[in-house]
């Protein structure tokens, strides 16, 4: 095996030792319970590691990642993670965290074909289409890219808020907020985009999507 590969196993042993050095019961305590208060939906980008960014320890954040942090309402993977985290784990917050410089978003703004991923990127193009006039009015290329990264995140937060899963949780009186964040690769800092939804009332501008649960 390559040196790189062997190093991964070695790193794991060192990590275990470092945890046991602080608390001999560390893994015993973790093995039977999982009650994270938060679901993180982020980009697969290796530079945006969910746990590290928010200083979360094992057990503190449930994570779903895909290219460009998309919330696609027919994606069984995302729906399964969402349903499990809301209805079984009872998370109180869901954060959609995108990032500036996102390759998936950049690809969606152009016409190059990359492979099967073109089909996934089409979902980002749908998001672009909703904001086409505003995006194309921006002259500066970096500014255009940054604003679309933010708009895409906001669109995904709305997509999340109008899922049947989130709406049903609200209708049952479950405390649940969904938020949109953007992460700066060059600063390490996150910014709250101010698009928090905490009840049915917050989706009043998208009333066509509202579901009545009895
Ligand atoms: Co990305």
């Amino acid at each position: 095996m390559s040196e790189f590969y062997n190093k991964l196993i070695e790193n794991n042993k060192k990590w275990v030792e470092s945890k046991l050095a602080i608390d001999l019961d560390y893994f015993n305590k973790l093995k039977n319970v999982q009650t994270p208060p938060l679901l993180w939906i982020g980009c697969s980008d290796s530079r945006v590691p969910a746990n590290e960014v928010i200083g979360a320890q094992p057990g503190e954040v449930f994570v779903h990642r895909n290219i460009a942090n998309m919330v696609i309402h027919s994606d069984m993977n995302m729906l399964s993670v969402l349903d499990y985290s809301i209805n079984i784990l009872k998370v109180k917050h869901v954060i959609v965290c995108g990032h500036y410089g996102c390759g998936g978003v950049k690809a969606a703004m152009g016409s190059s074909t990359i492979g099967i991923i073109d089909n996934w990127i089409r979902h980002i193009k749908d998001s672009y289409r909703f904001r086409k006039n505003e995006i194309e009015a921006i002259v500066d290329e970096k500014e255009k890219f940054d604003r679309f990264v933010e708009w895409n995140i906001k669109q995904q937060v709305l997509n999340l808020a109008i899922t049947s899963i989130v709406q049903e949780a609200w209708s049952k009186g479950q405390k649940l907020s969904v938020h949109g964040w953007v992460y700066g690769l060059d600063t390490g800092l996150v910014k709250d985009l101010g698009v928090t939804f905490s009840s049915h009332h917050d989706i009043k501008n998208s009333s066509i999507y509202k579901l009545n649960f009895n």
Side-chain angles (χ1 to χ4, degrees):
M1 288 292 173
S2 75
E3 201 177 315
F4 166 76
Y5 181 85
N6 289 333
K7 188 95 175 101
L8 300 177
I9 311 280
E10 258 177 55
N11 286 349
N12 169 255
K13 283 201 186 105
K14 282 184 195 151
W15 176 72
V16 170
E17 282 162 14
S18 73
K19 292 295 183 194
L20 295 179
I22 298 165
D23 181 357
L24 272 176
D25 246 4
Y26 186 80
F27 295 100
N28 265 333
K29 284 178 189 162
L30 273 175
K31 77 178 180 198
N32 293 325
V33 279
Q34 180 181 219
T35 51
L38 164 69
L39 165 64
W40 171 283
I41 299 179
C43 184
S44 299
D45 194 304
S46 62
R47 298 165 295 179
V48 195
N51 285 61
E52 280 92 330
V53 166
I54 53 171
Q57 295 301 313
E60 293 180 348
V61 56
F62 206 62
V63 174
H64 175 77
R65 290 167 72 179
N66 62 42
I67 289 167
N69 41 271
M70 301 300 285
V71 178
I72 307 302
H73 65 275
S74 55
D75 173 1
M76 277 303 291
N77 187 350
M78 185 281 296
L79 289 174
S80 303
V81 170
L82 188 64
D83 184 57
Y84 187 76
S85 55
I86 290 177
N87 291 316
I88 308 294
L89 299 177
K90 310 280 185 199
V91 298
K92 302 275 191 300
H93 299 271
V94 184
I95 294 171
V96 176
C97 185
H99 65 102
Y100 295 120
C102 183
V105 170
K106 184 76 183 167
M109 295 173 86
S111 321
S112 302
T113 151
I114 308 169
I116 199 163
I117 194 181
D118 297 341
N119 299 285
W120 183 254
I121 281 170
R122 199 175 125 179
H123 292 299
I124 316 171
K125 287 183 185 284
D126 291 340
S127 172
Y128 185 96
R129 190 159 55 92
F130 290 132
R131 293 280 190 168
K132 189 173 184 289
N133 293 341
E134 287 153 282
I135 295 163
E136 293 182 1
I138 302 170
V139 181
D140 183 77
E141 286 303 318
K142 186 182 181 297
E143 177 77 9
K144 191 184 283 191
F145 185 16
D146 287 353
R147 289 297 83 72
F148 181 48
V149 161
E150 292 170 0
W151 278 328
N152 183 53
I153 296 163
K154 291 176 186 175
Q155 181 62 48
Q156 303 321 311
V157 176
L158 176 64
N159 287 354
L160 188 59
I162 61 181
T163 56
S164 59
I165 299 166
V166 168
Q167 292 198 52
E168 189 175 11
W170 284 335
S171 76
K172 287 189 294 197
Q174 205 168 321
K175 282 239 172 305
L176 175 69
S177 294
V178 300
H179 318 264
W181 285 7
V182 64
Y183 175 82
L185 291 177
D186 55 347
T187 62
L189 293 170
V190 294
K191 182 166 76 185
D192 186 326
L193 292 173
V195 283
T196 294
F197 294 81
S198 300
S199 76
H200 259 134
H201 182 74
D202 297 335
I203 57 169
K204 61 182 182 304
N205 294 334
S206 306
S207 58
I208 187 66
Y209 298 108
K210 188 175 181 300
L211 301 172
N212 288 319
F213 291 89
N214 295 313

